[in-house]
């Protein structure tokens, strides 16, 4: 078992039964010109989460920890897009409208795909989800249960929307989730802080919170080469 310094208390996991879940590191959220910016957000806030998430991803890959990625988005014909989500916020651009990175939040478009730094490799399932939660209308639970996964290490964007929704869903399905505070990002610094507080409050009502360095230090004890390579950028 690997023990990570975390709040509200130590997070203990078996790497053979753990998945790293990389949530929605899509150009549409992280870069200007995508869905996130169309809602009036400053996307630069999210970029801060990428280097820590990349180190964690590389270390997990090298340590043989299972990796799953998610993407939020919709079918090209928008048949899985609720009218409520389409209309919400009265944005100047809607989901499905053309933007500089393709149609906003539509599967198969350049903007919908995952940024290069944390791009999936062979053997890492990509779960396409129409909603905020990674488990709603997806095969995420089947993928994890088939491998006997119990513990989740969570990185991604945005902290108070798709990350928190997915952690709540995971909690209800019997997973223990550890969220890495510097490897998740929000457009709103205050929401980032409060969303993490919510997860770990009441004795870890939804899960645990730590940071990428604490996670890597814990992994280093059993997998020194994997962590050294990730820290060196390998
Ligand atoms: C949002 C997400 N913020 N991936 N999606 O709309 O958090």
């Amino acid at each position: 078992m690997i023990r990570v310094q975390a709040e509200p208390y130590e997070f203990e996991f078996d790497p053979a039964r753990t998945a790293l879940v990389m949530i929605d590191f899509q150009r549409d959220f992280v870069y200007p010109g995508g869905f996130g910016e169309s809602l009036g957000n400053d996307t630069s806030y999210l970029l801060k989460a990428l280097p820590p998430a990349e180190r964690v991803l590389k270390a997990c890959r090298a340590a043989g920890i299972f990796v799953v990625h998610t993407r939020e988005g919709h079918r090209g014909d928008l048949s899985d897009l609720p009218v409520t989500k389409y209309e919400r916020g009265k944005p100047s651009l809607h989901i499905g409208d053309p933007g500089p990175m393709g149609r906003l939040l539509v599967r198969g478009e350049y903007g919908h795909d995952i940024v290069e730094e944390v791009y999936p490799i062979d053997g890492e399932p990509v779960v396409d989800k129409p909603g905020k939660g990674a488990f709603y209308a997806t095969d995420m639970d089947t993928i994890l249960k088939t491998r006997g996964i119990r513990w989740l290490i969570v990185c991604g964007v945005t902290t108070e929307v798709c990350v928190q929704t997915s952690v709540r869903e995971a909690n209800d399905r019997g997973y223990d989730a550890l969220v890495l505070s510097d490897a998740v990002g929000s457009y709103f610094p205050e929401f980032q802080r409060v969303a993490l507080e919510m997860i770990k409050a009441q004795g870890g009502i939804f899960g645990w919170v730590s940071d990428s360095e604490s996670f890597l230090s814990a992994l280093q004890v059993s997998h020194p080469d994997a962590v050294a390579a990730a820290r060196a950028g390998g």
Side-chain angles (χ1 to χ4, degrees):
M1 296 295 272
I2 294 177
R3 294 177 180 80
V4 186
Q5 287 298 316
E7 291 181 14
Y9 55 91
E10 202 174 58
F11 182 81
E12 208 176 338
F13 70 96
D14 172 1
R17 294 185 55 208
T18 296
L20 171 66
V21 184
M22 301 286 288
I23 298 183
D24 299 4
F25 272 120
Q26 297 161 254
R27 297 184 184 99
D28 254 326
F29 294 111
V30 171
Y31 291 154
F35 177 64
E37 193 181 66
S38 81
L39 297 176
N41 296 306
D42 176 355
T43 55
S44 66
Y45 283 108
L46 302 194
L47 287 175
K48 281 184 275 183
L50 261 178
E54 188 180 354
R55 282 193 291 278
V56 168
L57 173 63
K58 285 182 170 157
C60 286
R61 279 177 179 159
I65 292 175
F66 183 54
V67 179
V68 190
H69 303 257
T70 71
R71 297 184 296 202
E72 179 181 349
H74 297 276
R75 295 169 181 260
D77 62 5
L78 305 184
S79 56
D80 59 350
L81 174 64
V83 69
T84 48
K85 185 173 177 182
Y86 179 80
E87 289 176 352
R88 190 76 48 79
K90 297 190 169 58
S92 51
L93 282 178
H94 288 94
I95 294 171
D97 284 350
M101 296 189 289
R103 295 176 66 205
L104 292 183
L105 224 56
V106 168
R107 293 177 192 163
E109 299 288 337
Y110 183 72
H112 172 263
D113 209 356
I114 294 170
V115 299
E116 210 170 292
E117 293 90 327
V118 293
Y119 203 78
I121 59 173
D122 279 354
E124 297 178 354
V126 177
V127 173
D128 279 317
K129 58 190 184 62
K132 307 305 184 198
F135 293 81
Y136 170 69
T138 73
D139 51 5
M140 179 65 114
D141 196 44
T142 305
I143 289 170
L144 297 177
K145 293 260 160 64
T146 300
R147 292 187 73 103
I149 300 292
R150 166 175 171 172
W151 293 276
L152 307 179
I153 310 299
V154 181
C155 302
V157 298
T158 63
T159 312
E160 77 281 9
V161 184
C162 291
V163 170
Q164 206 192 71
T165 304
S166 300
V167 170
R168 287 172 187 246
E169 288 182 329
N171 175 66
D172 285 345
R173 286 164 177 78
Y175 299 96
D176 281 331
L178 174 69
V179 179
L180 301 180
S181 59
D182 56 335
V184 294
S186 169
Y187 301 120
F188 307 93
E190 181 63 1
F191 291 175
Q192 167 87 357
R193 187 184 69 73
V194 173
L196 295 172
E197 287 291 332
M198 284 181 189
I199 289 167
K200 67 186 183 188
Q202 305 178 69
I205 192 86
F206 303 126
W208 283 255
V209 176
S210 185
D211 56 76
S212 62
E213 269 311 305
S214 300
F215 174 75
L216 293 174
S217 299
L219 190 63
Q220 192 169 25
V221 175
S222 52
H223 298 81
D225 295 345
V227 174
R231 283 205 168 112

